[in-house]
Amino acid sequence: MNFEEIKDKRPKKVGELVDKSEEGDNYIVKVSDDKIYELAPIAYYIWAMCDGNRSVNDIVTELSREANLDESQVRDPVVMVLDELEKASLITF
């Protein structure tokens, strides 16, 4: 998966936030009774932005603005997180 392939797609999150991890800052997201994931804060933040309305490009733009980084610096990490979220069935395109 690379940015050019998915930049116009609008990912939609699957599952719901259940809780915040007891140890640390991770978030617990439940997809189904037998599928529960613990997400790092940045993965959770990107997952939460996947509302079906924002494109991948919109997410990159918003994150770069909030982190005060150039879009080129956040593009690959965002794509990597989206790829992992999709593999875990936490988002759909």
Side-chain angles (χ1 to χ4, degrees), residues 2-87:
N2 72 49
F3 180 73
E4 287 303 315
E5 293 173 350
I6 64 167
K7 68 180 181 182
D8 296 322
K9 292 188 176 185
R10 299 179 186 279
K12 183 156 178 53
K13 66 185 171 204
V14 176
E16 60 185 276
L17 176 65
V18 177
D19 204 356
K20 205 159 177 319
S21 175
E22 298 286 321
E23 317 95 30
D25 298 324
N26 291 346
Y27 295 83
I28 311 296
V29 174
K30 178 179 175 181
V31 176
S32 63
D33 285 340
D34 60 342
K35 273 188 152 177
I36 297 172
Y37 296 96
E38 189 169 332
L39 300 180
I42 187 62
Y44 171 76
Y45 188 69
I46 292 171
W47 175 80
M49 292 174 76
C50 295
D51 58 8
N53 296 317
R54 289 182 183 99
S55 70
V56 173
N57 194 51
D58 295 337
I59 293 170
V60 167
T61 301
E62 201 168 317
L63 267 177
S64 72
R65 195 176 323 119
E66 288 181 23
N68 205 16
L69 295 168
D70 191 80
E71 285 186 23
S72 64
Q73 292 176 281
V74 297
R75 196 172 289 137
D76 287 346
V78 166
V79 169
M80 194 172 68
V81 169
L82 290 172
D83 189 39
E84 291 302 314
L85 291 171
E86 184 183 32
K87 286 177 185 169

